[in-house]
Amino acid sequence: MNDVIPAPRAVEGPMRCGVELDAETTLWAAPGTDATERWLRATLGAALGLPLRPGPQDARNAVRLLLDDTLEPEAYKLGVVVNRGIEIRGGGAAGVFWGAQTLRQLLGPDAFRRAPVRAGRTYGIAHQVIEDAPRFPWRGLMLDVSRHFMPKDGVLRHLDLMAAHKLNVFHFHLTDDQGWRVQIKRYPKLTEVGSWRARTKFGHRASPLWEEKPHGGFYTQDDIREIVAYAAERHISVVPEIDIPGHSQAAIAAYPELGNTDVIDTTSLTVWDTWGISQNVLAPTDNTLRFYEGVFEELLELFPADAGPFTRFSPFSGFVHIGGDECAKDQWKRSPTAQARIRELGLADEDELQSWFVRHFDNWLSARGRRLIGWDEILEGGLAEGAAVSSWRGYQGGVTAARAGHDVVMCPEQQVYLDHRQAAGPDEPVPIGYVRTLEDVYRFEPVPPELTEAEARHVLGTQANVWTEVMEDPARVDYQTFPRLAAFAEVAWSALPAPAERDFADFERRMAAHYGRLDALGVAYRPPTGPLPWQRRPGVLGRPIEGAPPNV
């Protein structure tokens, strides 16, 4: 019985007979499949102790990689045929790679290790043919490295975990009030000052607990280039986020002139050490615009629109996320400079001032062949022309944007914010938000039913978001993210029925095998029976919300 996650579209078999991989198995790769060829030898070959030497295409004991232009770019056909070996056909290089990920799952948990644990063993796969293709082109994971920094090796590991689940867009949340994480050479204080804070709130912002030690870190420009190249080899687009005009206290602490200096003494600000929405936002001045244009100039070089073979069919590596969410307007209301700018531009209010700010960078990015995407607050005061929307406050922002002809990524917090707690029990560590169980995530539907067929075509896909305010180390990130990311990946990839009709019992059956893969990968997931003793955080205040989340 097949236990692949995400569930493939069609499976013929499996049958009792099959194919065995051993030291004599060869690997033949057609032109255009070189990234998967490298991955198979470096990852699968290393895990199983198989050299996968080059061999002829017609060898009986061979793995063959081919491109097939009759398939969609990310579609694949995986055939395991007795006396013919294993063949993976993909509509594009990415399709071949996703087929290789399925092959890895068919080989069992040993294939997910970094070195062989059973030397000399052969690995059998039952005779079968799998045909598969994704439902959505945008299958994303957002990782917040601003609240708690994740070193580069951890980011690379998460890219591998994304690839293992056929996710293909990495939304890289690089800046916020609590830390600036990317080196900008023309503005060195962004990392010299903005990348670390003196202490950190432990738990929810109402918690009385503090971790009284500095926290910080940032990625050098070469680190970023490495991350982008590593992602491209795995057919993952990286979408960087630089928050403007809110969530910017770390930048203002580094360069006080960016803040509303006519309202507060911005020279007294430090990188924020607690959670919530900071009132310290960017000033709507020409100086601020020029400063961030300089930031984006360096950023576009680090995140090129053509980052590798993946971008031959996907535009997502050309996106730049500018945040735009939770911009407190109090300082603008009290700022003579901001009010003068509103009058100068003939704007109605502070919401339209934020829209002007967003439109400026939409035009600036468009002129350089890029696309702006922002959280659904960019709808306030008028939607920026050409912008796409990450609909996070529920479905409504996405519905409004799609009806206006704008592309949407659905990531409603009530459904797919993985920082929300996984159960109602008292042992959940730092419980935040609504209860979102594995089954809840599995029954998430990204396309709102009120959209027409034409409007629904603007839904690029969906994304799970991992906010790290209460995730103080990588193990906590693992706990909150897994196993729910496996359920989310199936929602994003597979052609599932309506939520109420989905076979969660079958998914649980397949998860029983998938936990073994996660174990082999060293993922500190939440066990089905609840948190292990060391995963709990007794006495640390959270912010649980009772009841079912609203469907808004």
Side-chain angles (χ1 to χ4, degrees):
M1 189 175 290
N2 195 293
D3 57 16
V4 172
I5 291 176
R9 288 195 174 183
V11 180
E12 179 185 318
M15 302 178 184
R16 288 179 180 269
C17 52
V19 172
E20 288 193 345
L21 272 65
D22 56 28
E24 303 305 315
T25 301
T26 57
L27 175 59
W28 181 86
T33 66
D34 48 307
T36 301
E37 179 186 16
R38 287 191 296 272
W39 182 86
L40 280 169
R41 286 204 177 95
T43 304
L44 201 61
L48 303 180
L50 304 179
L52 296 177
R53 298 181 183 90
Q57 181 179 0
D58 58 356
R60 287 189 174 186
N61 185 15
V63 177
R64 294 182 295 279
L65 310 178
L66 302 92
L67 296 178
D68 184 342
D69 61 9
T70 67
L71 302 174
E72 292 298 312
E74 288 192 279
Y76 68 88
K77 183 175 181 179
L78 169 63
V80 182
V81 180
V82 177
N83 295 324
R84 292 189 58 190
I86 298 170
E87 182 174 281
I88 302 173
R89 291 179 174 268
V96 176
F97 184 70
W98 303 134
Q101 293 294 337
T102 296
L103 172 62
R104 188 189 194 188
Q105 291 197 22
L106 296 177
L107 287 164
D110 284 1
F112 290 80
R113 297 189 178 276
R114 296 189 181 183
V117 294
R118 293 169 182 82
R121 177 183 168 182
T122 60
Y123 290 85
I125 307 178
H127 177 109
Q128 59 192 293
V129 177
I130 297 175
E131 296 188 53
D132 203 5
R135 178 186 179 190
F136 292 109
W138 184 302
R139 306 180 302 280
L141 172 70
M142 189 228 66
L143 181 62
D144 166 24
V145 296
S146 296
R147 274 49 177 269
H148 278 99
F149 178 66
M150 179 173 287
K152 179 192 69 179
D153 284 353
V155 174
L156 300 179
R157 172 178 175 267
H158 273 268
L159 291 170
D160 281 330
L161 291 170
M162 288 179 64
H165 293 84
K166 299 185 176 75
L167 299 174
N168 69 340
V169 180
F170 179 53
H171 177 168
F172 205 6
H173 185 80
L174 287 164
T175 74
D176 217 295
D177 299 307
Q178 294 86 0
W180 184 284
R181 305 297 180 210
V182 56
Q183 179 188 31
I184 303 296
K185 291 184 176 179
R186 75 185 69 183
Y187 303 129
K189 291 182 185 177
L190 286 173
T191 46
E192 291 171 2
V193 175
S195 70
W196 69 276
R197 55 184 181 262
R199 64 174 187 169
T200 299
K201 175 69 71 173
F202 189 37
H204 181 253
R205 57 181 175 267
S207 168
L209 305 176
W210 295 88
E211 187 175 43
E212 296 286 354
K213 68 178 184 180
H215 177 87
F218 66 93
Y219 309 102
T220 68
Q221 294 200 349
D222 280 347
D223 289 338
I224 294 292
R225 293 185 182 99
E226 180 183 356
I227 288 167
V228 170
Y230 194 87
E233 280 280 300
R234 286 147 184 80
H235 301 279
I236 296 171
S237 278
V238 183
V239 176
E241 180 178 352
I242 302 293
D243 260 303
I244 53 175
H247 287 288
S248 299
Q249 185 166 323
I252 298 168
Y255 290 92
E257 65 270 22
L258 297 174
N260 295 284
T261 57
D262 55 349
V263 176
I264 65 164
D265 176 14
T266 55
T267 62
S268 66
L269 294 179
T270 60
V271 177
W272 215 22
D273 57 13
T274 190
W275 318 125
I277 303 173
S278 171
Q279 298 296 307
N280 296 301
V281 303
L282 298 175
T285 63
D286 290 342
N287 174 66
T288 300
L289 298 181
R290 300 293 87 77
F291 183 97
Y292 274 87
E293 287 172 1
V295 168
F296 284 120
E297 283 175 3
E298 293 195 24
L299 202 76
L300 297 192
E301 191 274 328
L302 297 174
F303 296 89
D306 184 0
F310 176 78
T311 56
R312 284 204 288 265
F313 70 89
S314 172
F316 301 144
S317 61
F319 276 87
V320 176
H321 207 292
I322 56 85
D325 62 314
E326 298 178 328
C327 179
K329 308 294 197 304
D330 180 67
Q331 289 184 1
W332 286 355
K333 290 176 180 177
R334 295 186 289 123
S335 164
T337 301
Q339 293 303 311
R341 170 84 6 140
I342 289 173
R343 291 191 297 272
E344 169 197 339
L345 297 170
L347 304 176
D349 54 22
E350 291 76 21
D351 284 345
E352 287 196 4
L353 183 61
Q354 178 174 345
S355 181
W356 164 82
F357 210 111
V358 171
R359 284 175 183 273
H360 174 87
F361 285 100
D362 181 41
N363 293 332
W364 190 92
L365 289 166
S366 295
R368 289 154 181 81
R370 300 303 188 94
R371 284 191 69 186
L372 178 146
I373 185 169
W375 303 110
D376 56 52
E377 282 93 334
I378 67 173
L379 293 163
E380 297 169 2
L383 185 62
E385 185 178 356
V389 168
S390 301
S391 187
W392 77 273
R393 290 181 293 181
Y395 289 97
Q396 191 54 53
V399 170
T400 301
R403 286 177 172 166
H406 293 270
D407 289 338
V408 178
V409 176
M410 298 303 301
C411 48
E413 66 167 329
Q414 301 88 348
Q415 314 297 330
V416 288
Y417 268 32
L418 299 186
D419 50 308
H420 282 209
R421 58 193 172 132
Q422 302 186 63
D427 289 336
E428 289 304 306
V430 198
I432 299 296
Y434 296 101
V435 171
R436 294 285 85 195
T437 66
L438 184 67
E439 181 172 1
D440 291 331
V441 174
Y442 189 68
R443 298 194 188 280
F444 163 60
E445 171 51 47
V447 179
E450 61 264 42
L451 292 181
T452 66
E453 183 177 344
E455 292 165 349
R457 284 196 287 271
H458 285 290
V459 179
L460 297 175
T462 184
Q463 179 174 292
N465 294 341
V466 180
W467 299 102
T468 62
E469 286 94 336
V470 299
M471 301 182 206
E472 73 279 6
D473 56 42
R476 281 285 289 120
V477 177
D478 276 10
Y479 179 91
Q480 291 300 134
T481 305
F482 291 96
R484 292 183 296 181
L485 192 67
F488 172 81
E490 184 147 312
V491 168
W493 176 278
S494 303
L496 298 176
E501 300 168 9
R502 293 177 188 173
D503 190 348
F504 181 68
D506 179 69
F507 178 76
E508 281 191 306
R509 178 191 64 77
R510 288 179 287 121
M511 275 303 301
H514 201 63
Y515 285 121
R517 300 169 191 143
L518 297 179
D519 286 332
L521 288 165
V523 177
Y525 58 85
R526 181 189 188 276
T529 54
L532 299 167
W534 55 87
Q535 293 175 322
R536 300 167 189 162
R537 296 292 185 274
V540 180
L541 185 66
R543 183 184 60 89
I545 304 175
E546 301 304 328
N551 191 18
V552 295

